[in-house]
Amino acid sequence: MSRPDTGNPSRAVFTRRALVVLGAQMAALGALGHRLYGLQVLEGDHYARLAESNRVNRRLIAPPRGRVVDRFGIALASNKVNWRALLLPEQTNDIAGTLDRFSTLVPIEARDRTRIEREMRHKRRFIPIMLRDFLSWDDMARIELNAPSLPGVLIDVGTTRNYPFGPLLAHVVGYVAPPSEKDVTGDATMALPGMRIGRAGIEQTQDALLRGQVGAVEIEVNAVGRVMAELSRDEGRAGDEIALTIDSGLQQAVLGRIADQSASAVVMDCRNGEVLAMVSNPSFDPSLFDSGVSQAQWVDWTNNERTPLINKAVAGVYPPGSTFKPAVAMAAMQAGTLAPTDRIFCPGYLDVGGTRFHCWSRYGHGSLTLKDALKFSCDVFFYEVARRTGMEAIAAASHAFGLGTHLDIEVPHTRAGLIPTPAWQRGRGQHWNGGDTIVSGIGQGAVQVTPLQLATYVSRIATGRAVQPHLIRSTGGRLVEGTDPAHWPGLDMPDAFLMHLRTGMFAVVNEEHGSAPMARLGIPGVQMAGKTGSAQVRRVSRALRESGHFDSSALPWEYRPHALFICFAPYDAPRYAAAVVVEHGNAGAAVAAPLARDIMTDTLTRDPANRKEPPGQVVAEVD
């Protein structure tokens, strides 16, 4: 038997090498298996999410802004589709190059380029940046065709604000604009493309309700980032719908009556304070603020002496002139310095110390009671009543009527006006004298009120209730408090005193020789009560007054008196109140009174407070 050959060295070496290779292969296979196990089992979910994130892009989107509608559901502010180009910074490594290539396809203005660069510095990389909005179909086609060379750029559909009535309701509804850096600080969602902030009117004061809650969209993209499909979309929660007390048809009618005059008018339901129309003319196009106001347009607005950007109804302050006289009369009756039957003689002037205060009638009115003093709007009567009563009592009654106070209404930038007192004068380091009280008695001097305050004042006279003006009727379909007249308490004034004011205001319009016969309604069986006012904006010398040749209508426009009128109707069952102020209109009786008559005729014809459906656009014909 032969023995195995164990002395062959090459065979032994081969056997050892084979074992080493086998061991290495086994170790490699083991390591590979371990790694595969880790990738597929232990870390499988993680890498699946990474792969999905490369295929699916998820981002937040601004929610649809809530609508603003009038009392009959007619849209005053709504949304319309807006195509826009967005940049996702986290999906491109060459942002500057992408912007350069994009701008050759769709031009980017210098100010937009500056904005984009600023947003890239301050925003997180996962938040989209608006490149251009309001894209045309041609713009979108060029972007889509060049998508491979535009990493991180995508076309998105959003909404922009639409104001169907344009300037008609700009001061009431307001407008929106992109958030500022201050708005974005602390709230990254404010930086989302399409997010808008209310900047005026209802849009500003009700911004939180109108804004809603942020949504999200998932889109599928290919290897170069081109959008292949939208996988899901959650629009978030749309903002609440806000219904206003405004009747848009009446608003149109009032503006039609005002025409091109620089004026304001407020119409209220005097029973519950609902504002049915609030017009300030001239106005502006609110949609321009969403897309961007040009420098030329801004200069034109700010240089216009008729101040189109200011809501004159709440922020315009004017001497009330003779419309202030009923408040002075109420203060005197409450203070016991005047009884309705007391007589005061008017010779055409009142001398106090060394100063002569003139009546508007140089011949005087003779002996007058309160009713006739209101009817003829006698200045001397109210000079004397103010002198007897004192400014503190007059201020207290005025504030109770809503004059010289901050009225809690749902628009910003309201002004309180001023009812001056000796304490106020001392606070300014000046002395109050008797002449200050006398001129304040006819609504001149430092007395200043807003048209909204005048409408509230006449509403309170008409109903005896402390109604507050308000513009919101419902939010999210729920009526707000105050629509029921019983919600408003009575004024702390005797009804008999209020009745004396109403009687005098009735005589102004309806009795022979009243100061406002042009305000008489042409509606059978319906009568209106009112009060005229002409408020000087510059002093007229004594010599000029006594010359008999002074004609304020011949003055330059900016020096003419303001024309005012306040009224309520129907007289026997007050339902509507109105205040009209025509800037530099010269005469309340000749200009503001017939304008108020036409506005009240339109209001009674439409009767919006007693309707549930809009009466259409048919209103009384313009004379």
Side-chain angles (χ1 to χ4, degrees):
M1 177 181 295
S2 64
R3 298 169 61 185
D5 184 4
T6 59
N8 188 337
S10 61
R11 184 183 180 94
V13 170
F14 174 78
T15 302
R16 287 196 299 273
R17 289 177 177 174
L19 290 173
V20 170
V21 170
L22 179 61
Q25 289 177 336
M26 293 297 292
L29 287 172
L32 181 60
H34 181 269
R35 183 58 179 158
L36 288 173
Y37 177 79
L39 290 173
Q40 295 183 358
V41 178
L42 299 180
E43 300 179 70
D45 290 343
H46 170 68
Y47 286 103
R49 286 193 298 271
L50 289 178
E52 186 69 7
S53 67
N54 288 331
R55 183 183 73 88
V56 178
N57 188 329
R58 185 177 187 275
R59 55 188 175 80
L60 300 177
I61 57 174
R65 195 168 175 86
R67 295 196 317 157
V68 180
V69 300
D70 79 350
R71 66 187 298 112
F72 299 119
I74 297 172
L76 309 180
S78 56
N79 304 308
K80 63 180 179 181
V81 171
N82 169 34
W83 293 95
R84 58 201 183 192
L86 306 180
L87 173 66
L88 300 175
E90 65 180 357
Q91 292 189 2
T92 178
N93 295 321
D94 183 14
I95 293 177
T98 298
L99 288 176
D100 290 339
R101 289 188 292 274
F102 180 87
S103 61
T104 62
L105 302 172
V106 180
I108 300 177
E109 294 183 5
R111 66 174 183 174
D112 286 329
R113 185 74 179 243
T114 301
R115 172 188 57 79
I116 292 166
E117 292 171 352
R118 182 178 64 249
E119 290 184 8
M120 286 191 297
R121 291 193 300 269
H122 295 289
K123 289 184 179 180
R124 299 177 184 178
R125 288 181 60 83
F126 64 83
I127 296 178
I129 294 173
M130 177 85 74
L131 295 182
R132 270 285 304 272
D133 54 1
F134 305 103
L135 295 175
S136 67
W137 286 109
D138 289 342
D139 293 334
M140 291 188 286
R142 285 193 295 272
I143 295 170
E144 287 290 351
L145 287 173
N146 291 274
S149 64
L150 299 171
V153 175
L154 59 90
I155 292 175
D156 181 61
V157 60
T159 60
T160 187
R161 208 60 165 157
N162 181 42
Y163 298 102
F165 290 93
L168 177 68
L169 284 148
H171 293 108
V172 174
V173 177
Y175 58 86
V176 295
S180 65
E181 290 187 35
K182 182 180 179 181
D183 296 320
V184 174
T185 302
D187 186 358
T189 62
M190 295 302 297
L192 294 174
M195 194 62 107
R196 293 292 185 264
I197 297 290
R199 295 298 188 198
I202 295 295
E203 293 275 31
Q204 178 177 336
T205 61
Q206 307 303 309
D207 186 64
L209 289 176
L210 291 167
R211 197 184 303 164
Q213 293 181 351
V214 170
V217 62
E218 288 187 343
I219 54 176
E220 183 179 20
V221 297
N222 62 14
V224 296
R226 185 173 186 177
V227 177
M228 305 304 294
E230 183 176 297
L231 302 179
S232 67
R233 176 178 286 263
D234 174 11
E235 297 287 356
R237 183 184 64 78
D240 288 344
E241 180 173 284
I242 294 179
L244 303 186
T245 58
I246 293 288
D247 173 5
S248 57
L250 179 60
Q251 184 89 357
Q252 284 183 316
V254 173
L255 182 59
R257 300 294 188 180
I258 289 175
D260 61 351
Q261 298 179 94
S262 183
S264 58
V266 178
V267 180
M268 285 174 55
D269 182 339
C270 61
R271 301 168 300 182
N272 61 10
E274 289 186 343
V275 176
L276 303 169
M278 180 187 284
V279 173
S280 178
N281 194 55
S283 186
F284 60 93
D285 184 353
S287 64
L288 296 179
F289 287 90
D290 196 7
S291 56
V293 176
S294 68
Q295 181 66 21
Q297 178 64 80
W298 183 256
V299 169
D300 179 65
W301 282 338
T302 53
N303 288 343
N304 190 329
E305 65 180 348
R306 302 193 177 203
T307 59
L309 294 178
I310 294 177
N311 183 356
K312 297 182 178 75
V314 300
V317 290
Y318 310 90
S322 294
T323 63
F324 191 58
K325 290 172 179 176
V328 175
M330 176 57 73
M333 288 188 288
Q334 287 186 301
T337 58
L338 175 72
T341 56
D342 287 350
R343 288 186 170 274
I344 294 175
F345 185 77
C346 169
Y349 57 86
L350 175 68
D351 289 328
V352 178
T355 304
R356 172 163 289 185
F357 298 90
H358 291 269
C359 187
W360 67 265
S361 171
R362 61 187 300 219
Y363 303 107
H365 293 99
S367 179
L368 300 171
T369 62
L370 172 59
K371 176 188 171 183
D372 287 337
L374 288 171
K375 174 181 174 179
F376 300 129
S377 198
C378 174
D379 291 336
V380 167
F381 185 97
F382 289 96
Y383 290 151
E384 176 61 22
V385 168
R387 188 188 65 80
R388 294 179 185 178
T389 306
M391 209 54 217
E392 291 87 350
I394 292 172
S398 301
H399 292 157
F401 278 131
L403 301 174
T405 65
H406 272 295
L407 295 173
D408 188 19
I409 193 168
E410 307 92 333
V411 287
H413 313 306
T414 60
R415 295 180 66 180
L418 175 67
I419 307 298
T421 62
W424 168 81
Q425 189 80 310
R426 288 193 298 270
R428 300 169 68 236
Q430 298 179 13
H431 174 68
W432 182 274
N433 58 53
D436 294 323
T437 300
I438 289 171
V439 297
S440 296
I442 62 165
Q444 292 284 174
V447 182
Q448 290 189 328
V449 301
T450 68
L452 179 66
Q453 290 175 356
L454 289 173
T456 304
Y457 162 50
V458 71
S459 292
R460 293 181 180 184
I461 290 174
T463 63
R465 292 184 178 275
V467 294
Q468 280 281 352
H470 54 282
L471 279 163
I472 295 179
R473 184 168 173 80
S474 69
T475 59
R478 298 177 298 277
L479 282 175
V480 301
E481 285 189 351
T483 56
D484 184 353
H487 174 81
W488 303 106
L491 292 171
D492 187 19
M493 297 175 177
D495 190 61
F497 291 175
L498 289 167
M499 199 64 221
H500 286 301
L501 302 185
R502 297 173 195 140
T503 301
M505 293 172 69
F506 176 87
V508 166
V509 176
N510 300 286
E511 291 189 2
E512 188 177 5
H513 305 306
S515 58
M518 296 178 69
R520 204 165 298 164
L521 294 176
I523 303 174
V526 181
Q527 294 167 310
M528 181 170 78
K531 186 69 192 76
T532 57
S534 297
Q536 294 176 3
V537 297
R538 63 180 303 191
R539 185 177 178 275
V540 179
S541 70
R542 175 175 178 175
L544 190 58
R545 281 187 177 277
E546 293 181 346
S547 70
H549 301 297
F550 176 66
D551 180 8
S552 59
S553 65
L555 294 171
W557 178 79
E558 64 272 19
Y559 295 144
R560 298 173 193 168
H562 299 308
L564 304 92
F565 195 77
I566 59 174
C567 57
F568 66 87
Y571 173 75
D572 53 355
R575 187 184 315 147
Y576 299 111
V580 174
V581 178
V582 180
E583 291 184 329
H584 309 292
N586 193 52
V591 176
L595 178 56
R597 173 203 63 206
D598 293 341
I599 289 172
M600 187 60 76
T601 299
D602 292 341
T603 305
L604 291 167
T605 301
R606 293 182 63 85
D607 198 17
N610 293 322
R611 291 179 182 267
K612 293 185 178 180
E613 300 295 331
Q617 302 305 313
V618 178
V619 295
E621 295 296 326
V622 179
D623 292 337

